[in-house]
Structure formats: structure tokens, C-alpha cells
């Protein structure tokens, strides 16, 4: 990479002054012909002076005479020319505010960039090494490291490509240039298929580029491939499709009209309803827009529309949060995964406090949080007494120690402290996650959450937390105190979608509130899009700028007054980003509107900004019905009063039954076939494996998994055309050639990877049979083995259990002999037993 150096700025400056001079000369010639008064002639004399560089431009602007007064009613100059002179003067003022156009700053600019590059070259290798050693690589890091490997060792990409016959890439419109580079090296010249919709490219913030898809189309066509356009809309009713076809092609050339699918028509309904609301009053709790939208939702619910067929979409989470609170006040059933704030939920905060206490009883905040909770409740008066007693002693005793002492004579303390002591003992013996499960059994924690939230989302969050904690306990060397501290301090866990709620136990019949990005790929009968009067935040010039095309970077500097100075490259790059953001804004709206199947509602404040969606839609906004080709839309300017909704959602009407969370001893234990076979062997203490041994074991297991997939693919065999590469080709050829057992006959009618669960005595046995088939004379059970035939006894023990399971389930005809086949295709060996 190179930087935006003084030579680049000099070239930029020369071009800038050439353009300015050309524009200036044009204005001078026109002003010379039009200026017929003395005041304008005096202005002309100063305006017509020439300039060629930054310093002469400063002098020109400083000595420019004051412009004569101008009146539109009695213009003393052509109004168009007058406006152009004003714009030109403003342009000059803007350029003079760019200190980097001043040659005196160029040397310092170069020096800063040299220092930055030197700093980068010394820091980045260490930074990357630290990230690799700590295992803290982000997705972006992995992409960059992959590019590094592919550039330094291109043969690795070629080798990887040869392992695959065919590629299919979905959602290609969300691919970034970085990912395109990686994919091109992975795919090489192999056949491939991509699918996507550039009209739905809305992940610019993640590096996606809509132009990537168009570039792929061009590449495919140039290489003789085929391009197919899916043009029918099967989701939305005809009037909505006509509405989309009317507005979007006018907004941007990327949008193409859709053909009508087979959805039924509803000609009496408007294609869309646009609601314009007045500005909110001071001290108003909820805005007119939110109240009106929820009132319209309420009318749909009262008319019998199921809540889960309604969605309210917004660009911003802040608007959704207000909607959640407003809906709750008016008893409208809603759910909003987009604003879940998992780590701030009450049930999770309670579990974090308990976990922290079990790990460190000297943490006073966690202990007091627990003692004030309903699960270990002690009144504030007694807690105050506890704190004062601990303070008065001025000893090294913790609050926990004093509480334990008080529990000997105080009944209120005794119950809570006794339970906490018991949980600490369990945590010490069996682990914190087991202690948390014991807490759930002995308290009303789950039952209370079920009462508060009948959908089961809170309960699902509880099990999500315990599951993550249990997995962390299994990590060698994991310090759980540091882990929980990290949660409290940063709310950052190694969870996928860590901020999202867990899936609810009961599917809720509630109105969905979500961001437009979260709604992508979904559909709802009735869609409300709120906040069309706002606008997206646009990018500003950054401290560090990088241009993808030229591979040039730029660092902003501060001038003598402390004001940031940005290079021409930085300004140009930011303008390019803003252009992309503006284009994407319309694609985001397209995604939002096309989620609707039957009705679409758009809402905005009347005093919307000039760059807002509502002000730039090609729609008439005067009140009433407006016709477009094939449909009509309605504009209404009224606020609706929201009343409490007297409906009970499906989830709220569930019968509340006491929850039983203790496991009965009568419930049979679930075991795998492998563990059953191993349990029958004599237990031996195995030496600890080295890292090298573990690596070999993993490679062996990975090979075994891949081999099983290859042999599984032979089932239902229609031809002997193998089509497999080494090292599987010889093994497959040997397998197909076997006459005893009759493998081709077994493969034609057999069941591969046949999973089962069957109760045998006091256990539920779970497993999967590699291959079994019922032929005329016998039932064959085949176990593919990639290891050594020296250990065939274990294979036959497993197959005996499979045989027992088949008979118990009744999956095969009784009375026929069972033939067990241990097949070692890589040794080209087969062992057979009849039972």
C-alpha cells in the first residue's frame, strides 16, 4: 500500500485549479456582457482577476469587491447568472478551508504518513501473532489471513479447489470484494452456481457491495455460462406488486418490475396506506406516530387477524424499544427479538448474581442482590442491620460470614442462608451449573418466569445461560470468576447472537417488532413500516481512510487551530461511501415493503426531512385515494386514539399448571451403543495423549467420517459408475465387487445410517446402523470400518446390539437369520458371522 502523498495532492490541486479557472472564465465572459450598471462593473473588475494557485486564490478572495444588492422582484442581473456567482464564491470558500491545498502543509503530511507506515510495519506482525496465539481471531481476521495464504501459496487454493466437484453460493448479493477474492481461488475453474438479488443488497456495513453481483453476471456471460432472472412475485397480492412496480423503478435503475404471481387479488383494498402525522407535543409520553400505528394494529387484532401475521418494521432499534413499551401499556401482545438485550434481562441478571456468589462469596454486591431478590428474600431493614453490624466490628469478616452468624438465631436469615450454603456445597462438589439446576428445583424461579412470560422465552433464556456456563466449565483452565466478571463488565460472551433471546418454549402468537435487516427473508400478511420521515446517518470523513481501488491510505492531520485536515483522497472516498449508502437506503426500503403479502402501512411525520424516504417517494401526499396503474393507494392525515386491547393472545390463554422440574428416578437413562460396548470392556487407565497424538487422532476421526459419507452415498445404487477419487476409489471398487455378502443387492434395497432409539431393560439405547437390508433368505447388518481388523470383536458386539434393536422395534421379519458383516474396505477384508 502507498499513501496519499504530496505528489498526489499536487496533481489534485492542479486539476482543481484547471477546473476552477475554466468555470471562472465562463462566468467572467457572461458577466462582462450582462453587467451594465456601475456597481456591477466595479464588481466585475475584481471578479475577473485571475488566480493559478492557493496563494493567488487567497488574494483573489480577499480583494473581491462586495457584491451589489440583488432583488428578485427587480433583478439588476440575470437571476440564473447571479445564483451561479453565489455558488462559485461558496465553492472557493470551501476550497480555502482545505489546508491541505496549501503547499506549506505537504511536507508535514508526508512525514506523518511515513511515520504511520513505519509504526504499522513494526506493530502489525506482533498484533497478528498475539491474536493467533490467543485464539481471538475475528471473522474479518480470518478473511485477511486466508487472503495472505492464497497470495503467498496460491497452490493451496488450487489444491482445495480440486477437492470439490461443484459449488453453489447463496445470497451472493451480500458478498464483499474480499470474499469474492477468496471464493475465486477456492472455486478456480470448477462448475458453480450463484443465486441472489442485487435489489436486496443491504449489508454495506459488513463490506458487501451490490456491484459484486452485477460483476458476477458479466463474468458468467463472458465465460459462456447462463444467466436466469426469476421475475415473478408469488408473495404479495397483485395490487401490492403493481405498487412496487410503480415506485421503485423510478427511484433507481437497479430496480426492475416484477411479474404477477398467482396470489389472489383484493381490488377493493388500497395497495398501501400512507399515514402522515403532526409533530409531537412537548412532554408527550408516546408519539402520535407510534400511537396511531398501534391503534391500526389493534383494529386488525379486534377483527380476528392472528397477531403472528402482523409485523412492524423500523430502521432503528430505538423506535422499536418505544413501541415495545407503548404496546405493553396498552396490552397489545408483541415480541421483539431485535431489542432483546439478553444480558440485561432480569432473569439473567439474577442468575449472574447467583453464579458470581457461588464462585466468590466475598462479592458483597452479588450477595446483597440475592438477599434482596424474591428467591432469598430478606427485608431491607434486616439487611441494613447486617451492614451496620459488619461495619461496627471493623473486622476482616465478610458480610457473608456475618450473615451466616445471624442465621443461627434469626428465622428470616436462616432459611435463605441455609439454601445458599447448600448451593455452595453442590457447586464445590459438582460444579456451578449443577448448583444452578438445584436452585431451579428448590425455588419458584422457573414458575415465576412462566407466570410473567407465558411464551416461555424467559425460561428458554435461563436454559441458554446454564448451557453456556456448563460448556465453559468443561474448558481446560477456564477461570469462571474472570469469565463471569467479563459478562458483568463487557456483556460479551463467545455465544452466537449473544445479545439475542433464546427460542421460546411456546411459539408466541404476538405481533413481531423487528428491524428491517432482521426481517429479510420473512413475510407477513400485514406489514407496518414506521419512521419514513427520518433519515439514515451518513458517513463522515474518518481519521484513517483506505481506497479499495487504488490501495492508497490517508491519515487525517490537525491544523494549527486543532481542526482536522482531510486529504483529497479521504474526501473523495467518503463521497463514494455516501453515494453507496444513499443507494442502499432505497434497497433497505425495498426489502421492508416487499415483506407484505396482503396490506402495507407506511407512516411518517408530516414535517419530514428533505432526504427522508417519504419526501423522495414518487407519491402524491395530499389526503385521499390516488390511482396508479393496476392499483390505488390511500393517504390519511389523522391520529387514531389507542385504547387498551381486550384480547388475550394464544400464549396468554394457556392453562397455567405447576411445573415439575425434578427428574423421576423411573425415567430410563439414555445411552449410546458405543458407550454400551465400552462399558462391557475392562477399564484401563490410558496414558495422556500428547498434542501430536491428539492431532493424529483428530485426522483419523475426520477421515473416518468422510469415508462413512462416501459409503453411505452408495445406497440405492443404480450403476457401478464410481466417480470417486483416491483414496476411496479402490475401497469402493472392492466393496462393490463382493459376492459374499451380496453387496450390490444389499446396497440397492438397504437402509443407510439408520437411526433408532429403543428401550432395552432400564435404558433407552440410541444408535445408527451403517447399513442393513432384508433379503429373501436373511437380514444383513453391515458395519463399515476404517480402522484395523484386529479390533473386530468390538464391531461384532455393536452389531449384536443392532440386531437386538431391529427385532425389538419390529423393523424386520422375525425368524430369518441375522448375518453380521464387519467390512474393512481399505484393508480389502470382510469378516462374517451368522446369529
Amino acid at each position: 500500500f502507498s499513501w496519499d502523498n504530496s505528489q498526489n495532492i499536487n496533481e489534485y490541486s492542479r486539476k482543481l485549479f484547471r477546473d476552477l479557472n475554466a468555470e471562472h472564465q465562463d462566468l467572467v465572459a457572461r458577466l462582462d456582457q450582462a453587467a451594465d450598471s456601475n456597481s456591477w462593473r466595479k464588481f466585475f473588475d475584481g471578479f475577473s482577476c485571475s488566480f493559478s494557485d492557493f496563494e493567488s486564490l487567497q488574494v483573489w478572495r480577499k480583494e473581491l469587491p462586495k457584491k451589489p444588492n440583488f432583488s428578485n422582484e427587480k433583478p439588476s442581473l440575470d437571476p440564473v447568472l447571479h445564483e451561479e456567482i453565489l455558488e462559485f464564491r461558496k465553492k472557493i470558500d470551501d476550497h480555502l478551508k482545505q489546508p491541505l491545498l496549501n503547499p506549506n502543509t505537504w511536507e508535514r503530511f508526508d512525514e506523518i504518513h511515513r511515520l504511520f507506515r513505519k509504526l504499522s510495519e513494526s506493530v502489525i506482525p506482533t498484533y497478528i501473532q498475539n491474536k493467533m496465539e490467543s485464539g481471538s481471531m475475528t471473522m474479518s481476521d480470518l478473511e485477511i489471513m486466508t487472503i495472505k495464504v492464497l497470495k503467498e501459496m496460491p497452490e493451496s487454493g488450487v489444491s482445495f479447489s480440486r477437492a470439490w466437484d461443484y459449488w453453489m453460493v447463496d445470497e451472493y448479493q451480500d458478498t464483499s470484494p474480499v470474499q469474492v477474492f477468496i471464493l475465486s481461488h477456492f472455486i478456480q475453474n470448477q462448475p458453480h452456481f450463484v443465486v441472489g438479488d442485487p435489489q436486496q443488497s443491504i449489508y454495506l456495513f459488513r463490506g458487501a457491495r451490490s456491484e459484486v453481483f452485477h460483476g458476477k453476471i458479466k463474468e458468467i456471460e463472458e465465460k459462456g455460462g447462463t444467466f436466469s432472472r426469476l421475475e415473478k412475485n408469488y408473495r404479495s397480492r397483485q395490487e401490492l406488486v403493481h405498487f412496487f412496480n410503480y415506485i421503485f423503478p423510478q427511484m433507481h435503475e437497479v430496480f426492475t418490475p416484477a411479474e404477477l404471481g398467482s396470489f389472489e387479488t383484493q381490488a377493493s383494498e388500497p395497495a398501501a396506506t400512507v399515514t402522515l402525522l403532526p409533530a409531537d407535543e412537548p412532554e408527550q409520553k408516546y408519539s402520535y406516530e407510534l400511537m396511531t400505528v398501534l391503534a391500526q394494529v389493534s383494529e386488525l387484532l379486534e377483527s380476528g387477524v392472528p397477531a403472528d401475521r402482523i409485523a412492524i418494521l423500523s430502521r432503528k432499534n430505538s423506535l422499536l424499544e418505544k413501541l415495545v413499551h407503548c404496546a405493553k401499556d396498552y396490552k397489545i401482545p408483541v415480541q421483539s427479538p431485535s431489542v432483546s438485550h439478553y444480558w440485561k434481562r432480569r432473569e439473567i441478571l439474577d442468575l449472574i448474581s447467583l453464579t458470581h456468589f457461588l464462585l466468590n462469596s466475598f462479592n458483597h454486591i452479588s450477595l446483597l442482590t440475592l438477599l434482596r431478590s424474591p428467591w432469598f428474600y430478606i427485608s431491607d431493614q434486616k439487611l441494613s442491620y447486617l451492614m451496620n453490624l459488619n461495619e461496627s466490628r471493623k473486622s476482616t469478616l465478610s458480610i457473608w460470614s456475618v450473615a451466616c452468624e445471624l442465621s443461627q438465631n434469626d428465622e428470616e436469615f436462616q432459611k435463605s442462608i441455609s439454601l445458599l450454603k447448600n448451593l455452595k456445597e453442590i457447586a464445590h462438589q459438582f460444579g456451578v451449573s449443577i448448583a444452578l439446576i438445584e436452585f431451579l428445583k428448590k425455588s419458584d424461579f422457573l414458575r415465576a418466569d412462566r407466570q410473567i412470560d407465558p411464551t416461555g422465552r424467559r425460561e428458554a433464556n435461563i436454559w441458554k445461560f446454564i448451557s453456556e456456563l456448563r460448556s465453559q466449565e468443561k474448558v481446560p483452565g477456564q477461570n469462571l470468576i474472570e469469565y463471569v466478571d467479563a459478562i458483568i463488565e463487557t456483556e460479551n460472551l463467545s455465544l452466537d447472537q449473544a445479545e439475542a433471546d433464546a427460542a421460546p418454549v411456546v411459539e408466541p402468537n404476538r405481533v413481531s417488532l423487528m428491524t428491517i435487516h432482521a426481517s429479510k427473508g420473512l413475510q407477513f400478511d400485514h406489514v407496518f413500516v414506521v419512521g419514513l420521515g427520518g433519515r439514515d446517518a451518513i458517513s463522515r470523513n474518518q481519521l484513517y481512510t483506505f481506497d479499495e481501488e487504488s490501495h492508497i491510505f490517508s491519515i487525517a492531520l490537525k491544523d494549527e487551530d486543532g481542526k482536522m485536515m482531510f486529504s483529497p483522497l479521504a474526501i473523495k472516498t467518503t463521497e463514494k461511501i455516501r453515494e453507496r449508502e444513499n443507494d442502499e437506503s432505497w434497497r433497505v426500503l425495498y426489502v421492508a415493503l416487499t415483506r407484505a403479502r396482503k396490506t402495507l402501512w407506511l407512516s411518517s411525520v408530516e414535517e419530514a426531512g428533505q432526504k427522508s424516504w417519504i419526501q423522495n417517494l414518487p407519491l402524491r401526499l395530499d389526503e385521499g385515494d390516488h390511482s396508479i396503474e393496476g392499483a390505488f393507494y390511500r393517504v390519511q392525515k389523522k391520529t387514531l386514539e389507542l385504547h387498551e386491547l381486550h384480547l388475550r393472545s394464544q400464549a396468554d390463554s394457556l392453562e397455567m399448571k405447576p411445573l415439575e422440574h425434578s427428574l423421576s428416578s423411573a425415567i430410563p437413562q439414555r445411552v449410546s451403543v458405543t458407550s454400551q460396548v465400552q462399558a462391557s470392556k475392562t477399564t484401563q487407565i490410558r496414558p495422556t495423549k500428547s498434542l501430536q497424538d491428539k492431532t493424529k487422532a483428530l485426522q483419523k476421526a475426520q477421515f473416518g467420517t468422510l469415508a462413512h459419507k462416501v459409503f453411505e452415498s452408495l445406497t440405492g445404487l443404480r450403476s457401478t459408475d464410481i466417480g470417486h477419487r483416491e483414496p476411496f476409489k479402490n475401497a469402493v471398487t472392492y466393496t462393490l465387487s463382493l459376492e459374499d455378502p451380496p453387496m450390490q443387492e444389499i446396497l440397492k434395497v438397504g437402509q443407510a445410517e439408520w437411526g433408532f432409539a429403543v428401550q432395552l431393560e432400564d435404558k433407552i439405547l440410541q444408535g445408527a446402523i451403517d447399513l442393513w437390508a432384508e433379503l429373501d433368505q436373511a437380514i444383513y447388518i453391515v458395519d463399515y470400518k476404517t480402522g484395523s481388523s484386529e479390533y473386530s470383536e468390538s464391531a461384532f458386539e455393536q452389531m449384536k446390539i443392532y440386531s437386538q434393536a431391529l427385532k425389538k422395534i419390529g423393523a424386520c421379519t422375525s425368524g430369518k437369520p441375522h448375518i453380521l458383516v464387519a467390512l474393512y474396505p481399505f484393508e480389502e477384508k470382510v469378516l462374517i458371522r451368522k446369529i
Side-chain angles (χ1 to χ4, degrees):
F1 297 150
S2 59
W3 64 80
D4 198 17
N5 55 34
S6 56
Q7 183 180 348
N8 294 335
I9 298 176
N10 188 19
E11 291 175 2
Y12 171 82
S13 298
R14 286 203 298 252
K15 182 179 183 306
L16 176 69
F17 280 107
R18 283 198 302 271
D19 294 342
L20 285 177
N21 272 306
E23 187 176 351
H24 178 241
Q25 292 304 316
D26 175 64
L27 290 174
V28 167
R30 291 162 59 195
L31 183 59
D32 188 20
Q33 295 177 358
D36 51 6
S37 65
N38 290 334
S39 57
W40 278 107
R41 292 307 304 179
K42 183 178 179 183
F43 177 80
F44 170 78
D45 291 339
F47 186 84
S48 60
C49 293
S50 62
F51 49 80
S52 58
D53 53 25
F54 187 81
E55 291 183 1
S56 61
L57 185 64
Q58 283 181 311
V59 173
W60 180 89
R61 183 63 184 91
K62 183 178 180 180
E63 295 181 355
L64 183 67
K66 183 179 178 181
K67 182 185 71 63
N69 292 330
F70 181 84
S71 170
N72 284 318
E73 295 178 358
K74 296 181 179 181
S76 55
L77 193 72
D78 176 21
V80 174
L81 177 59
H82 176 261
E83 190 64 32
E84 290 179 9
I85 289 172
L86 290 178
E87 290 177 2
F88 183 76
R89 192 173 64 180
K90 182 180 182 303
K91 185 184 291 186
I92 297 299
D93 290 340
D94 290 340
H95 286 316
L96 290 174
K97 290 176 184 177
Q98 290 190 44
L100 281 178
L101 290 181
N102 186 342
N104 296 330
T105 64
W106 295 353
E107 185 177 343
R108 177 168 169 254
F109 185 73
D110 270 347
E111 178 61 21
I112 289 290
H113 280 76
R114 276 192 292 270
L115 287 171
F116 180 82
R117 179 162 185 158
K118 187 176 180 181
L119 174 70
S120 302
E121 289 172 346
S122 62
V123 168
I124 287 177
T126 306
Y127 172 72
I128 292 174
Q129 185 65 28
N130 287 342
K131 296 198 81 168
M132 293 181 70
E133 290 175 356
S134 64
S136 57
M137 303 289 281
T138 65
M139 182 63 72
S140 178
D141 292 331
L142 293 175
E143 289 178 343
I144 292 169
M145 295 304 292
T146 303
I147 288 177
K148 179 178 171 65
V149 170
L150 291 172
K151 284 189 171 183
E152 294 179 354
M153 296 180 289
E155 67 277 5
S156 63
V158 175
S159 175
F160 186 82
S161 164
R162 289 172 179 166
W164 308 95
D165 298 318
Y166 202 91
W167 286 76
M168 188 276 195
V169 187
D170 195 12
E171 302 288 358
Y172 198 83
Q173 78 279 352
D174 296 329
T175 309
S176 69
V178 167
Q179 292 164 342
V180 168
F181 178 90
I182 294 171
L183 281 171
S184 66
H185 283 73
F186 282 178
I187 297 173
Q188 298 283 338
N189 295 317
Q190 298 291 68
H192 60 281
F193 176 89
V194 300
V195 61
D197 181 0
Q199 298 175 146
Q200 297 190 54
S201 178
I202 58 173
Y203 288 100
L204 180 63
F205 66 92
R206 287 199 320 217
R209 301 285 186 269
S210 62
E211 57 265 30
V212 160
F213 193 88
H214 297 292
K216 190 64 181 178
I217 294 173
K218 184 179 178 182
E219 175 196 325
I220 288 174
E221 291 179 334
E222 287 177 351
K223 291 184 176 181
T226 56
F227 168 64
S228 302
R229 187 187 296 275
L230 306 179
E231 296 178 329
K232 285 193 176 181
N233 181 323
Y234 293 97
R235 171 183 294 145
S236 308
R237 67 185 177 95
Q238 292 181 14
E239 290 80 11
L240 277 176
V241 177
H242 285 304
F243 182 72
F244 303 149
N245 288 345
Y246 174 76
I247 61 172
F248 285 112
Q250 297 185 59
M251 301 313 305
H252 201 283
E253 60 185 11
V254 71
F255 298 109
T256 56
E259 294 179 6
L260 300 178
S262 56
F263 199 98
E264 73 278 4
T265 184
Q266 290 176 302
S268 60
E269 298 258 354
T273 301
V274 182
T275 307
L276 301 176
L277 290 309
D280 301 326
E281 298 172 359
E283 307 300 325
Q284 192 173 330
K285 185 176 182 181
Y286 297 121
S287 71
Y288 288 127
E289 183 178 3
L290 300 190
M291 298 282 280
T292 300
V293 166
L294 288 175
Q296 290 167 326
V297 169
S298 178
E299 289 180 3
L300 287 175
L301 294 174
E302 293 279 10
S303 69
V305 174
D308 59 3
R309 296 186 183 179
I310 304 172
I312 304 177
L313 309 181
S314 168
R315 280 177 290 190
K316 299 179 180 178
N317 271 324
S318 57
L319 200 55
L320 294 176
E321 288 178 354
K322 293 175 184 176
L323 275 165
V324 168
H325 293 302
C326 185
K328 184 178 179 182
D329 286 352
Y330 288 90
K331 305 295 187 292
I332 295 177
V334 298
Q335 61 169 346
S336 183
S338 296
V339 290
S340 63
H341 300 308
Y342 172 80
W343 295 114
K344 295 180 182 178
R345 287 198 173 277
R346 183 71 261 163
E347 67 271 20
I348 300 304
L349 292 174
D350 284 348
L351 288 176
I352 287 175
S353 295
L354 179 54
T355 302
H356 211 281
F357 167 76
L358 294 175
L359 293 167
N360 176 18
S361 58
F362 290 89
N363 187 299
H364 296 171
I365 292 177
S366 295
L367 175 59
L368 291 172
T369 301
L370 292 175
L371 296 181
R372 296 190 77 241
S373 73
W375 328 114
F376 305 94
Y377 181 70
I378 293 176
S379 65
D380 280 353
Q381 289 82 356
K382 290 201 172 181
L383 287 179
S384 178
Y385 173 72
L386 168 67
M387 297 291 289
N388 290 333
L389 182 61
N390 183 65
E391 180 68 23
S392 64
R393 293 185 176 183
K394 298 190 181 299
S395 65
T396 57
L397 289 176
S398 66
I399 294 177
W400 168 244
S401 302
V402 178
C404 290
E405 184 182 314
L406 289 176
S407 68
Q408 297 174 9
N409 302 309
D410 188 301
E411 290 184 6
E412 190 174 342
F413 272 101
Q414 187 175 15
K415 183 179 179 182
S416 298
I417 299 304
S418 176
L419 177 55
L420 285 172
K421 280 182 176 179
N422 179 244
L423 294 176
K424 279 184 71 68
E425 290 175 5
I426 294 172
H428 180 71
Q429 270 191 288
F430 305 106
V432 176
S433 61
I434 300 299
L436 293 184
I437 293 173
E438 187 66 20
F439 162 66
L440 299 183
K441 292 179 182 179
K442 291 186 175 181
S443 70
D444 288 326
F445 192 74
L446 279 170
R447 186 175 289 106
D449 281 319
R450 186 76 170 86
Q451 291 280 359
I452 294 167
D453 177 17
T455 70
R457 189 174 295 277
R458 288 174 69 114
E459 184 177 347
N461 285 339
I462 291 167
W463 293 115
K464 175 180 176 178
F465 178 84
I466 293 176
S467 174
E468 171 66 12
L469 192 67
R470 174 170 283 184
S471 68
Q472 291 297 322
E473 286 179 311
K474 296 177 181 178
V475 176
Q478 174 67 283
N479 185 326
L480 285 182
I481 291 182
E482 290 181 359
Y483 171 75
V484 178
D485 282 342
I487 297 175
I488 295 171
E489 292 171 11
T490 66
E491 299 178 1
N492 181 25
L493 272 190
S494 58
L495 277 173
D496 290 331
Q497 299 177 331
E499 285 290 329
D501 278 333
V505 178
V506 180
E507 190 63 34
N509 182 27
R510 293 170 175 252
V511 177
S512 294
L513 273 59
M514 60 179 66
T515 61
I516 296 170
H517 280 81
S519 73
K520 190 178 176 188
L522 304 178
Q523 61 182 25
F524 300 89
D525 284 355
H526 310 278
V527 170
F528 292 77
V529 185
V530 298
L532 270 75
R535 58 168 296 179
D536 292 321
I538 60 171
S539 293
R540 299 180 180 276
N541 288 315
Q542 301 294 312
L543 181 65
Y544 172 86
T545 303
F546 175 71
D547 182 64
E548 296 173 353
E549 296 174 4
S550 64
H551 287 190
I552 296 175
F553 70 85
S554 173
I555 303 296
L557 309 179
K558 285 185 178 180
D559 62 15
E560 295 175 354
D561 298 326
K563 184 180 177 182
M564 298 304 294
M565 301 187 293
F566 300 100
S567 75
L569 174 85
I571 295 169
K572 180 182 175 183
T573 303
T574 303
E575 287 174 353
K576 190 187 300 180
I577 292 172
R578 287 175 181 170
E579 186 178 338
R580 283 176 173 156
E581 288 171 340
N582 182 62
D583 291 344
E584 183 179 81
S585 178
W586 290 109
R587 297 194 295 271
V588 171
L589 182 64
Y590 175 83
V591 169
L593 271 54
T594 53
R595 301 309 94 200
R597 298 185 70 247
K598 294 182 179 179
T599 65
L600 177 63
W601 305 73
L602 311 176
S603 71
S604 168
V605 292
E606 280 193 273
E607 298 79 9
Q610 288 187 348
K611 295 189 177 181
S612 64
W613 278 338
I614 195 67
Q615 287 296 332
N616 288 277
L617 283 173
L619 300 174
R620 289 179 55 187
L621 296 180
D622 49 310
E623 196 162 13
D625 290 346
H626 304 285
S627 295
I628 55 177
E629 186 178 348
F632 72 96
Y633 66 93
R634 178 170 297 155
V635 177
Q636 58 186 27
K637 297 184 179 182
K638 61 177 180 178
T639 58
L640 299 180
E641 191 174 351
L642 181 58
H643 301 283
E644 184 174 315
L645 186 64
H646 296 289
L647 290 178
R648 290 173 64 83
S649 71
Q650 177 184 347
D652 293 334
S653 63
L654 291 171
E655 182 181 357
M656 297 304 301
K657 296 181 179 179
L659 300 179
E660 180 57 63
H661 293 282
S662 59
L663 290 175
S664 167
S665 59
I667 295 177
Q669 180 186 5
R670 293 177 179 267
V671 295
S672 68
V673 173
T674 305
S675 64
Q676 188 80 341
V677 172
Q678 289 176 345
S680 64
K681 299 177 183 178
T682 305
T683 304
Q684 295 180 343
I685 299 176
R686 298 181 178 181
T688 304
K689 289 184 176 181
S690 67
L691 180 60
Q692 188 175 8
D693 292 337
K694 289 179 180 178
T695 303
K696 289 180 178 178
L698 284 171
Q699 290 172 340
K700 183 179 177 182
Q702 185 180 21
F703 178 80
T705 301
L706 186 56
H708 273 74
K709 287 183 178 179
V710 170
F711 290 108
E712 181 187 349
S713 69
L714 299 176
T715 313
L717 190 70
R718 294 184 179 86
S719 74
T720 57
D721 180 20
I722 299 164
H724 291 285
R725 300 186 180 95
E726 296 296 351
F728 303 112
K729 187 169 185 175
N730 292 339
V732 171
T733 302
Y734 170 76
T735 301
L736 294 176
S737 68
L738 287 172
E739 295 181 359
D740 184 21
M743 280 305 296
Q744 293 210 23
E745 193 176 350
I746 292 171
L747 287 167
K748 283 180 181 178
V749 300
Q751 304 279 345
E753 286 299 316
W754 193 78
F756 65 88
V758 60
Q759 185 161 347
L760 299 176
E761 299 174 351
D762 61 339
K763 297 174 182 175
I764 291 180
L765 197 66
Q766 297 174 317
I769 304 174
D770 285 354
L771 174 66
W772 77 273
E774 180 170 346
L775 303 185
D776 292 339
Q777 302 302 321
I779 285 92
Y780 285 86
I781 299 173
V782 181
D783 199 13
Y784 296 117
K785 291 296 180 183
T786 57
S788 171
S789 57
E790 293 179 16
Y791 308 104
S792 59
E793 282 306 314
S794 293
F796 284 115
E797 288 297 319
Q798 276 186 250
M799 287 189 283
K800 284 179 183 178
I801 296 175
Y802 295 157
S803 172
Q804 192 180 1
L806 286 171
K807 286 187 280 190
K808 177 79 175 179
I809 295 171
C812 57
T813 305
S814 61
K816 288 185 179 182
H818 285 209
I819 297 177
L820 312 182
V821 180
L823 177 55
Y824 296 85
F826 296 97
E827 287 187 21
E828 296 191 3
K829 186 174 182 179
V830 62
L831 303 174
I832 301 174
R833 287 185 190 175
K834 186 176 180 180
I835 61 172

